[in-house]
Amino acid sequence: MNNKGQTLVVFIILLPIIIAVLGYLTDKCYLLYQEKRQKETTSIVCQYALNDNNTDSKIKQLALENDQNLSKILIRKLDEQVEITLEKEVPSLFGNLLGIPSYLIKTNVKCMK
């Protein structure tokens, strides 16, 4: 019995599913990479902010030097603690096919002296 036609039909049916799964995995890995990079930047900025002589403008400048795409930088200083929150929008690689143009990444780190 010749199954070449059936195999072709099954392949054509499964092809969009395979492409969607590969697009999802690519977007997810890209987002994890961007989130890890932003957490490292937030940790660096938080450690820098523990110095008493650093002003908010210097802290924001350091954050922007590490990542120019930041949309929001929040600095909260308490007595012995500094809290830094960074936000940015990351464009979607394959999410545009599903109507998702970008993703919001928000990191929050607290440092103590």
Side-chain angles (χ1 to χ4, degrees):
M1 182 185 259
N2 189 355
N3 290 332
K4 290 181 182 179
Q6 291 173 353
T7 306
L8 180 62
V9 170
V10 170
F11 176 72
I12 296 296
I13 290 172
L14 290 178
L15 189 61
I17 296 170
I18 293 170
I19 291 173
V21 168
L22 289 175
Y24 171 76
L25 289 175
T26 304
D27 261 8
K28 189 67 172 172
C29 290
Y30 180 66
L31 284 173
L32 288 173
Y33 166 74
Q34 290 293 333
E35 185 177 3
K36 181 180 181 227
R37 194 169 154 228
Q38 186 166 327
K39 281 183 182 179
E40 291 172 357
T41 300
T42 310
S43 295
I44 290 170
V45 171
C46 193
Q47 292 298 322
Y48 181 76
L50 286 176
N51 262 345
D52 291 332
N53 57 356
N54 293 330
T55 62
D56 286 357
S57 62
K58 285 184 179 181
I59 296 168
K60 288 181 181 181
Q61 179 183 1
L62 177 66
L64 289 172
E65 285 175 2
N66 282 289
D67 192 351
Q68 297 176 350
N69 299 324
L70 294 173
S71 60
K72 189 185 281 187
I73 303 170
L74 297 174
I75 303 165
R76 203 171 304 142
K77 291 183 179 181
L78 301 172
D79 293 332
E80 296 290 321
Q81 181 176 330
V82 176
E83 183 177 355
I84 305 288
T85 303
L86 301 180
E87 284 186 19
K88 75 174 176 180
E89 288 223 11
V90 176
S92 173
L93 298 177
F94 291 100
N96 290 329
L97 300 175
L98 301 173
I100 304 170
S102 64
Y103 300 100
L104 180 68
I105 298 176
K106 181 178 179 179
T107 55
N108 185 14
V109 174
K110 294 180 183 179
C111 298
M112 300 181 110
K113 289 185 180 181

